[in-house]
């Protein structure tokens, strides 16, 4: 599967970072597309389906085709957050996403989280059937262990593995990245700017107003103080290279290999333009060494694993019925 060097993560257009204006979000998506971004990443759980509708609206009518990645497996409803990877529900989730996106086929369909009550091979088997039927082009998995990735790939080729990876959080380098490369899966880092930390623009209000930062140890107390000192060092290196801190953080990820496609997310047009420019910011070996000296892996504080796990109870009851018309309607964007 071939994509642009950078994709766009769209979760923050619907949840996690406070209210968003839909028209502003549509402009942001379309500007990213104009700048050459081809991959737009969403999920059925983002805004309880509203994010997929937003992506469908934004990409409809473009004079070129974009690629859409979406996910299933995390269910948000009145009962809270649940995981559901039951094979008998996969088709319904997929068809509901197709309808919300207004497309005939999903380019990349992820299992968002592994349901602990369902063998991952069973879930992937149901997804593979949808590839055979032409509803999905490629399969992906998100936040899996190397063993789970092996089990998934034994059933069907896995095109992409998604997980948090950035200068701020480098634990994936120890296990899942080598496993993905061994199996030939692309690497899709989400939160490549450390939930905004690596932009060097966050204020205390930004942290307090975000569900995705308030509970993160990296944004609290002494850990935050230590991380802000590292961000100041990042800024000094970026200034010396003529880049913004965010551009340097993205360029660092891109330098890790041609199989790495970060998906930064933002609502602001100026930051979309800055992020897109990072794709052309090739770092020399000397620049990479300078960055590693200034912001070494061991220099960051806080363990995101202590808050990152979602509820592991499987969703009770039947899956929601798919919409009555789940195929592409006339005038909508097909794939």
């Amino acid at each position: 599967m071939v994509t642009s060097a950078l994709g766009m993560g769209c979760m923050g257009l619907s949840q996690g970072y406070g209210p968003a204006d839909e028209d502003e979000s549509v402009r942001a998506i379309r500007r990213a597309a104009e700048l050459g971004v081809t991959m737009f990443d969403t999920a059925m759980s983002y805004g309880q389906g509203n994010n997929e509708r937003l992506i469908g609206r934004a990409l409809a009518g473009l004079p070129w085709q974009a690629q859409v990645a979406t996910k299933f497996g995390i269910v948000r409803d009145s009962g809270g957050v649940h995981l559901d990877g039951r094979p008998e529900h996969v088709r319904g989730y997929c068809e509901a996403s197709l309808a919300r996106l207004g497309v005939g086929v999903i380019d990349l369909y992820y299992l968002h989280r592994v349901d602990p009550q369902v063998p991952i091979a069973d879930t992937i088997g149901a997804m593979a059937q949808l590839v055979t039927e032409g509803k999905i082009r490629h399969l992906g998995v998100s936040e899996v262990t190397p063993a789970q990735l092996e089990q998934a790939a034994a059933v069907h080729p896995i095109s992409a593995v998604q997980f948090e990876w950035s200068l701020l959080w480098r634990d994936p380098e120890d296990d899942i990245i080598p496993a993905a490369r061994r199996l030939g899966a692309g690497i899709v880092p989400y939160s490549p700017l450390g939930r905004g930390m690596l932009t060097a623009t966050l204020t205390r209000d930004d942290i307090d107003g975000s569900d995705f930062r308030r509970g993160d140890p990296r944004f609290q107390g002494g850990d935050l103080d230590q991380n802000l000192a590292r961000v100041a060092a990042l800024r000094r290196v970026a200034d010396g290279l003529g880049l913004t801190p965010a551009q340097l953080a993205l360029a660092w990820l891109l330098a890790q290999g041609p199989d790495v496609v970060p998906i930064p997310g933002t609502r602001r047009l100026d930051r979309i333009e800055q992020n897109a420019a990072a794709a052309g910011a090739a770092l020399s070996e000397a620049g990479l060494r300078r960055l590693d000296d200034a912001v070494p892996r061991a220099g960051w504080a806080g363990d995101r694993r202590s808050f990152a796990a979602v509820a592991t109870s499987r969703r009770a009851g039947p899956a929601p019925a798919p919409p009555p018309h789940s195929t592409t309607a006339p005038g909508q964007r097909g794939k």
Side-chain angles (χ1 to χ4, degrees):
M1 182 175 182
V2 178
T3 73
S4 52
L6 290 170
M8 180 175 179
C10 298
M11 183 198 74
L13 303 179
S14 296
Q15 70 177 52
Y17 297 100
D21 178 85
E22 187 165 305
D23 290 337
E24 177 187 37
S25 295
V26 167
R27 288 192 293 272
I29 294 166
R30 290 180 176 169
R31 182 57 179 149
E34 290 170 358
L35 292 169
V37 173
T38 65
M39 174 60 72
F40 295 85
D41 184 275
T42 181
M44 75 173 202
S45 68
Y46 298 165
Q48 295 179 302
N50 288 327
N51 197 260
E52 289 179 323
R53 295 187 187 94
L54 175 66
I55 303 305
R57 173 189 164 192
L59 297 180
L62 289 180
W64 60 88
Q65 286 191 328
Q67 298 162 308
V68 175
T70 192
K71 315 176 198 71
F72 78 98
I74 296 179
V75 180
R76 298 178 187 275
D77 58 21
S78 59
V81 181
H82 314 274
L83 300 182
D84 184 6
R86 286 179 282 189
E88 63 269 27
H89 291 174
V90 173
R91 180 181 301 276
Y93 289 141
C94 177
E95 291 183 348
S97 288
L98 286 167
R100 287 189 291 264
L101 290 164
V103 299
V105 57
I106 293 168
D107 295 291
L108 176 58
Y109 199 43
Y110 286 98
L111 173 59
H112 205 164
R113 294 292 188 276
V114 176
D115 184 337
Q117 299 186 46
V118 179
I120 189 172
D122 293 352
T123 308
I124 297 297
M127 297 167 69
Q129 179 60 39
L130 297 176
V131 175
T132 301
E133 295 175 15
K135 295 181 183 293
I136 302 168
R137 289 198 172 97
H138 301 277
L139 301 188
V141 290
S142 176
E143 291 288 0
V144 293
T145 66
Q148 290 168 337
L149 177 58
E150 294 271 4
Q151 294 160 18
V155 177
H156 189 278
I158 300 299
S159 295
V161 184
Q162 189 172 130
F163 45 82
E164 183 174 347
W165 185 27
S166 70
L167 283 168
L168 179 64
W169 183 253
R170 297 181 56 178
D171 278 22
E173 295 168 29
D174 297 334
D175 49 24
I176 191 61
I177 290 173
R181 287 179 165 154
R182 184 173 65 251
L183 294 168
I187 295 166
V188 182
Y190 71 79
S191 295
L193 298 177
R195 305 187 189 275
M197 177 80 74
L198 301 176
T199 67
T201 62
L202 286 185
T203 67
R204 296 280 178 174
D205 287 343
D206 293 326
I207 295 170
D208 293 341
S210 166
D211 294 341
F212 267 70
R213 297 187 185 108
R214 276 199 307 268
D216 188 329
R218 296 171 295 181
F219 292 85
Q220 298 176 359
D223 287 345
L224 176 60
D225 293 336
Q226 181 172 330
N227 291 335
L228 290 177
R230 297 280 68 75
V231 169
L234 174 68
R235 179 187 285 280
R236 289 192 291 272
V237 177
D239 288 346
L241 295 172
L243 302 171
T244 68
Q247 287 173 330
L248 179 54
L250 293 173
W252 176 82
L253 273 172
L254 291 171
Q256 304 310 304
D259 56 350
V260 179
V261 181
I263 50 171
T266 182
R267 306 168 183 174
R268 289 179 45 173
L269 297 183
D270 59 337
R271 290 183 182 168
I272 285 173
E273 292 163 359
Q274 290 177 22
N275 291 347
L283 296 180
S284 66
E285 289 297 323
L288 288 168
R289 286 195 299 270
R290 182 181 173 190
L291 180 59
D292 191 56
D293 289 341
V295 287
R297 174 175 172 176
W300 303 95
D303 187 351
R304 51 100 51 188
R305 289 171 298 192
S306 64
F307 82 101
V310 297
T312 57
S313 59
R314 190 170 63 182
R315 189 181 197 279
H325 301 291
S326 60
T327 55
T328 305
Q332 291 180 314
R333 189 180 61 87
K335 295 298 289 182

